[in-house]
Amino acid sequence: GGNEKKFYVDKTNPVITTNFDSFANAATDNNFNVDKVASIRIEEHNFSPDLVHLVVLKKEAGALHNADGFTNVTSTVLKDKVWTSNGDVHTMEFTLSDEAVYQIQISMTDLAGNAAEAQVSPIFEIDKTAPTIVSRNGVAVGADDVENVEVYPYTRAADPIPYVEFEDLNYAHMRYRLVTYIPAEDEVGVVKMD
């Protein structure tokens, strides 16, 4: 024989492992104030990057955390990234740092048609911008004016109710402290000078 040809039998599915579960945080509704690093590991003997279907989706910060309105930014995010191989194990990491809403999807089918179980991250958001106080009682305030102290003695009882207006794409809660001070009888009307 000169007509003999070799062939390979491959019945093993590729295995994809990710850190996508770290993009879920019920306490923050999947919002993070730090860059997020995606780590992907594929175990496959006959690996080729062309067989990997990796998609990074992005939409405007503050957008609803649903499947609508995403743009595929895979080529931008993975522009300088390559797979690192060590035997049958192939890895890649990339960092998402823009303030935006994201989702990552990965799947793979090898040359023999064996498919890995697809992995999809939860929809998550990177939001590193602190809320900004815009006005206090209708008067504009500066960006550094983060503490608001108002004193309402009895003489201001008829004044309008105080209010603070602020901006944030992902408002979750506001912390405030209300202190009531009633002076002792001997302090009423007394001004102490140093």
Side-chain angles (χ1 to χ4, degrees):
N3 290 332
E4 295 176 5
K5 294 187 179 188
K6 291 184 179 180
F7 65 93
Y8 299 93
V9 176
D10 179 358
K11 296 181 180 178
T12 306
N13 290 345
V15 176
I16 299 173
T17 308
T18 69
N19 68 335
F20 292 172
D21 59 341
S22 71
F23 301 135
N25 185 332
T28 66
D29 195 25
N30 300 347
N31 285 281
F32 300 92
N33 63 359
V34 296
D35 295 350
K36 295 299 287 180
V37 176
S39 299
I40 300 168
R41 179 185 186 272
I42 297 177
E43 190 171 341
E44 167 61 29
H45 183 70
N46 298 304
F47 179 81
S48 170
D50 297 336
L51 302 173
V52 179
H53 185 64
L54 175 58
V55 178
V56 181
L57 301 171
K58 176 180 175 181
K59 63 181 170 178
E60 184 176 305
L64 292 176
H65 289 200
N66 62 24
D68 299 331
F70 276 111
T71 300
N72 187 329
V73 294
T74 308
S75 60
T76 304
V77 172
L78 302 180
K79 179 176 53 176
D80 299 323
K81 301 298 177 195
V82 294
W83 288 94
T84 301
S85 296
N86 184 3
D88 290 350
V89 176
H90 317 278
T91 58
M92 178 188 284
E93 285 191 348
F94 57 90
T95 302
L96 300 170
S97 57
D98 290 348
E99 292 191 79
V101 178
Y102 293 95
Q103 186 175 51
I104 307 167
Q105 306 167 354
I106 185 168
S107 60
M108 178 183 178
T109 302
D110 68 17
L111 291 171
N114 302 305
E117 183 177 335
Q119 304 284 319
V120 178
S121 77
I123 295 173
F124 64 97
E125 182 163 358
I126 297 175
D127 175 6
K128 299 182 271 187
T129 303
T132 304
I133 297 173
V134 177
S135 71
R136 181 176 54 233
N137 298 330
V139 178
V141 298
D144 295 333
D145 192 0
V146 295
E147 291 190 21
N148 295 286
V149 178
E150 290 285 335
V151 177
Y152 280 82
Y154 181 75
T155 57
R156 291 185 71 185
D159 284 5
I161 297 172
Y163 66 94
V164 176
E165 180 182 2
F166 61 96
E167 291 179 346
D168 189 60
L169 293 175
N170 299 298
Y171 173 70
H173 70 279
M174 180 172 66
R175 185 182 350 203
Y176 66 92
R177 186 174 68 177
L178 179 63
V179 178
T180 304
Y181 174 72
I182 301 173
E185 244 181 73
D186 61 343
E187 292 178 312
V188 175
V190 176
V191 176
K192 296 181 182 177
M193 301 295 273
D194 288 334

